[in-house]
Amino acid sequence: MQSINFITDEGEEVPFYIIEQTTLAGKDFLLVTDNDQEDEEAEVYIMEEISDQDDQTVYEFVENQAQLEALSKVFQELLEDVDIQM
């Protein structure tokens, strides 16, 4: 499973594992989890690409509730066996 590292405000690196990715309205979004076990229930997060500078792609968590709900539906359609609970 492909992973990305998220840097916290304290400078700590936290790995997130990419479940799926999609592009909507020219923006890239990732559905990620902090659990690398594919067969277990896990919390998932949606991240949005906010910039691509100096050959480094930067993502941030989507926090807007309406945007989260819309993106959750898109990811559920892409991954038929996944049920995203808000």
Side-chain angles (χ1 to χ4, degrees):
M1 186 180 289
Q2 184 181 4
S3 69
I4 61 170
N5 286 326
F6 181 77
I7 310 297
T8 66
D9 292 337
E10 293 80 29
E12 179 184 349
E13 276 191 36
V14 179
F16 281 95
Y17 302 93
I18 300 171
I19 299 168
E20 184 64 78
Q21 59 188 43
T22 191
T23 301
L24 294 171
K27 292 187 177 185
D28 291 329
F29 295 92
L30 301 176
L31 181 67
V32 300
T33 184
D34 57 0
N35 183 346
D36 65 348
Q37 303 298 316
E38 292 183 30
D39 59 342
E40 294 183 22
E41 276 193 30
E43 291 207 23
V44 295
Y45 309 92
I46 299 175
M47 300 180 88
E48 174 182 3
E49 182 180 319
I50 57 169
S51 68
D52 191 355
Q53 302 171 349
D54 304 324
D55 294 328
Q56 185 175 7
T57 305
V58 178
Y59 289 91
E60 70 178 17
F61 291 102
V62 174
E63 295 180 0
N64 177 288
Q65 192 65 31
Q67 189 178 21
L68 276 173
E69 288 177 16
L71 288 165
S72 294
K73 290 178 184 176
V74 170
F75 281 118
Q76 280 186 184
E77 288 180 19
L78 290 171
L79 300 164
E80 296 173 4
D81 62 338
V82 172
D83 182 27
I84 299 174
Q85 304 280 326
M86 299 293 293

